Amino acid sequence: MSVKKIVVYLQNMKRFGLTTVLLCAFWSFADAKTDVKDLFVNMPDSMVSYLDKNKRQEMIDYAAINKGAGVVNLLEGNSAVDSLSNDYLSVALTSSSDMQMMVLPVKGDTVVCVVKTFKVDDGVSSDTSVYTNIIKESRVSFYSLDWTPLSISLRVPDAFVQKMNELAPAFMEARLNPSKKTLSLSINCPMLTKEEKERLKQENQLTALKYELNLLTSIKNPIKRL
């Protein structure tokens, strides 16, 4: 091989090596960006005002060592990560609220689904009441990886809305299933007795919905954060 060919070969190898390094760096950055732990730590403080970035990082560090170990939040209550994987996280925010977060592909992109559930005890002892004494209501939100809010339609059937109206006062509870990548919506009606709930279940009336999250395709234009 001539000296000229050797020089050209070495130059090509150098460029190839640089390209490889850049690609590896890009892939590493992409992987880190879509890891739910990093997304949780770097999410806007406004999403959970009583957990700043330092508190969230501390929670992730504790979760890696001992799941369930928590931190004292800015409300002087306890917050803890109780479930954690690369694409799913569940957090007990307070004694009356929790949050689920899941990273998933939608319409050829990657989005973050966040479910916040608020729980209120109606004050009636479950030992003496036939009614459900915990009221639960959820809010479902979708975001891009830079935490820009997204508008994604879940297409709730009219029959489901009608059933909520019939059972009023009624609330919608949402739960993420990390293994099946689904979002389930159910009607939470505290004024129904246990017998009435069982009857509805046996009659197979529409009181719950399930969405395959990776099949959602109706992403609209991002909602710009003010």
Side-chain angles (χ1 to χ4, degrees), residues 105-120:
V106 174
K107 200 180 179 180
D109 203 346
T110 303
V111 303
V112 187
C113 179
V114 177
V115 175
K116 288 184 181 178
T117 300
F118 305 89
K119 299 170 284 185
V120 177

Side-chain angles (χ1 to χ4, degrees), residues 86-151:
N86 288 335
D87 61 359
Y88 175 78
L89 174 146
S90 176
V91 183
L93 296 174
T94 67
S95 59
S96 59
S97 63
D98 62 60
M99 180 175 70
Q100 294 177 290
M101 184 184 297
M102 187 158 65
V103 182
L104 62 145
V106 174
K107 200 180 179 180
D109 203 346
T110 303
V111 303
V112 187
C113 179
V114 177
V115 175
K116 288 184 181 178
T117 300
F118 305 89
K119 299 170 284 185
V120 177
D121 193 323
D122 64 8
V124 180
S125 172
S126 58
D127 294 333
T128 59
S129 174
V130 293
Y131 297 99
T132 302
N133 65 326
I134 299 295
I135 299 171
K136 296 181 181 180
E137 185 170 27
S138 301
R139 297 175 186 172
V140 181
S141 305
F142 293 91
Y143 300 88
S144 63
L145 294 179
D146 64 356
W147 288 109
T148 298
L150 300 172
S151 178

